[in-house]
Amino acid sequence: MHVLSGIQPTGRFHWGNYFGAIRQYIDLQGEQAAYYFIANLHALTTVRDSALLRQYTLDAAIDLLSLGLDPNRAILFVQSDVPEVSELCWLLMTGAPMGWLERCHAYKDKKAKGLPADAGLFTYPVLMAADILAYDADTVPVGEDQTQHIEVCRDLAASFNHHFGETFVMPKAKVLDSSAKVPGTDGEKMSKSYNNTLEVFEDAKAQRKKIMRITTDSRPMDQPKEPDGDHLYQLYSLFANDAEKQAMADMYRRGGFGYGEVKKALADQAEKFFAEPRARRQEFESNPDRVQEILAAGAAKARKKAGEVLRRAKTACGLV
Ligand code: ATP
Ligand code: MG
């Protein structure tokens, strides 16, 4: 497997990022190739503060390393350190039909809400396609929200290959059924930009407070409730083992419990689950030079591969 995935430094990582994407990164490292990057070029469409973008980028690297990303088994780098990708993006841009991009939800949703969208957001799927194709990746671990963009990537690759001859490897999304779309504190998709996140490295006390405020329905306490489809139960299931999940589901169906009990159990589980990475984070935090070295070494390896693929693509379409 040739694995690649990226994550935006648009804020601190949350449970959705971890269970949907980062956990897969860690499981898949050590495959034939595993490239993971911090997508600062994508983040630039939303983070318009230079100091903040720099901070989020470093935090993202420290978070990933603390969660178990191993630079000896995977290549970790920052997107903008590989300029070959931006050049490849242009090659793909010239063959990207407007209609395909107009249908993409990141842009469509923003427009539907009447929010101003820029060309960076509109062409996001093309840069994402370049990100993937530049490393001959065949497997892209992501959450469900990214599957549409990977379809666009496949269409762009197929169209380029059709015009100019076999150039790009066809990638496939890899989505985990159990955590394809982790809900936020409001029941919508947990997202850095929706203000509904529970963060992986948040102060435990502050997190407990947020958990206690997770929205629930106004079901009287004695009434039984179906756990499937309940976002609090879904969040609990991320951390619990099979027996614990079963016991919680039975309690829901029996009724006679308060949501406060579930929230407390959830907060306990989450605290236990992330205790180790939290401790490890302090070590990396006190050694930012080491983190920068890891990123620089990763970028050098990533550039080598992206340079080869770019050369292949430029030759195919007549630029060289
Ligand atoms: P933003 O709001 O800035 O888009 P985000 O929270 O959606 O941030 P991204 O950096 O866009 O995070 O996504 C990183 C990875 O995390 C992607 O693979 C994405 O599919 C996954 N992901 C994000 N949110 C969730 C979620 N709620 N459940 C499962 N996976 C998710
Ligand atoms: Mg997102």
Side-chain angles (χ1 to χ4, degrees):
M1 254 195 259
H2 289 236
V3 184
L4 169 126
S5 198
I7 192 156
Q8 298 196 65
T10 42
R12 299 303 300 278
F13 296 151
H14 52 72
W15 295 358
N17 296 139
Y18 178 75
F19 288 100
I22 298 169
R23 184 174 49 164
Q24 300 202 72
Y25 300 176
I26 292 158
D27 286 347
L28 294 169
Q29 61 190 1
E31 284 291 337
Q32 227 172 334
Y35 292 90
Y36 301 123
F37 68 93
I38 299 160
N40 60 345
L41 292 174
H42 287 294
L44 201 52
T45 66
T46 43
V47 183
R48 308 293 296 172
D49 174 324
S50 55
L52 195 60
L53 184 57
R54 247 176 237 120
Q55 185 59 48
Y56 281 159
T57 304
L58 179 64
D59 276 332
I62 296 179
D63 286 355
L64 289 169
L65 293 166
S66 309
L67 284 164
L69 202 141
D70 177 355
N72 295 315
R73 301 172 71 211
I75 297 168
L76 176 65
F77 61 101
V78 175
Q79 185 183 28
S80 64
D81 286 343
V82 185
E84 287 79 2
V85 168
S86 302
E87 194 176 343
L88 185 61
C89 177
W90 181 257
L91 269 53
L92 297 170
M93 199 86 87
T94 55
M98 297 290 282
W100 291 5
L101 304 182
E102 275 158 6
R103 276 196 295 277
C104 284
H105 61 76
Y107 167 74
K108 220 167 91 174
D109 293 354
K110 207 159 182 184
K111 213 171 154 225
K113 284 188 190 134
L115 297 168
D118 52 51
L121 181 70
F122 184 66
T123 55
Y124 174 132
V126 189
L127 179 57
M128 179 162 156
D131 288 327
I132 298 168
L133 300 176
Y135 304 98
D136 285 338
D138 53 31
T139 306
V140 189
V142 285
E144 186 192 68
D145 60 323
Q146 290 300 332
T147 52
Q148 187 192 33
H149 293 150
I150 291 168
E151 281 310 309
V152 172
C153 173
R154 290 170 58 84
D155 289 343
L156 288 169
S159 151
F160 192 100
N161 286 350
H162 178 73
H163 269 287
F164 299 120
E166 241 8 76
T167 306
F168 296 124
V169 172
M170 280 301 211
K172 254 206 182 123
K174 189 172 168 305
V175 181
L176 294 176
D177 290 342
S178 58
S179 51
K181 188 177 169 185
V182 172
T185 51
D186 56 358
E188 299 297 315
K189 183 203 109 124
M190 191 180 285
S191 203
K192 291 187 222 101
S193 41
Y194 295 172
N195 200 18
N196 65 354
T197 59
L198 291 158
E199 293 166 11
V200 173
F201 291 101
E202 174 161 54
D203 168 70
K205 243 176 143 180
Q207 178 151 89
R208 206 163 268 271
K209 272 196 191 150
K210 269 202 210 166
I211 290 174
M212 296 320 280
R213 286 200 303 266
I214 291 175
T215 55
T216 50
D217 60 24
S218 50
R219 173 196 66 93
M221 278 195 15
D222 53 341
Q223 255 175 43
K225 188 172 163 73
E226 191 45 52
D228 298 327
D230 178 77
H231 59 272
L232 185 57
Y233 178 75
Q234 278 175 34
L235 289 170
Y236 179 77
S237 302
L238 296 173
F239 300 98
N241 62 32
D242 286 348
E244 290 164 337
K245 267 191 275 188
Q246 189 57 52
M248 185 60 82
D250 290 346
M251 187 170 97
Y252 264 70
R253 294 196 178 100
R254 253 192 336 263
F257 69 98
Y259 284 123
E261 277 175 69
V262 187
K263 289 175 177 176
K264 189 175 170 309
L266 172 61
D268 292 345
Q269 291 266 11
E271 201 173 325
K272 207 168 59 191
F273 191 90
F274 290 120
E276 232 180 87
R278 275 167 200 250
R280 254 199 313 261
R281 196 177 199 287
Q282 292 177 347
E283 288 169 38
F284 285 109
E285 230 169 331
S286 59
N287 200 350
D289 289 349
R290 168 84 190 112
V291 177
Q292 296 296 357
E293 275 167 30
I294 291 171
L295 294 175
K301 288 184 196 151
R303 280 198 80 172
K304 188 166 175 289
K305 178 68 187 170
E308 284 166 25
V309 176
L310 177 63
R311 181 94 195 157
R312 201 197 299 152
K314 284 173 83 169
T315 305
C317 65
L319 290 173
V320 289

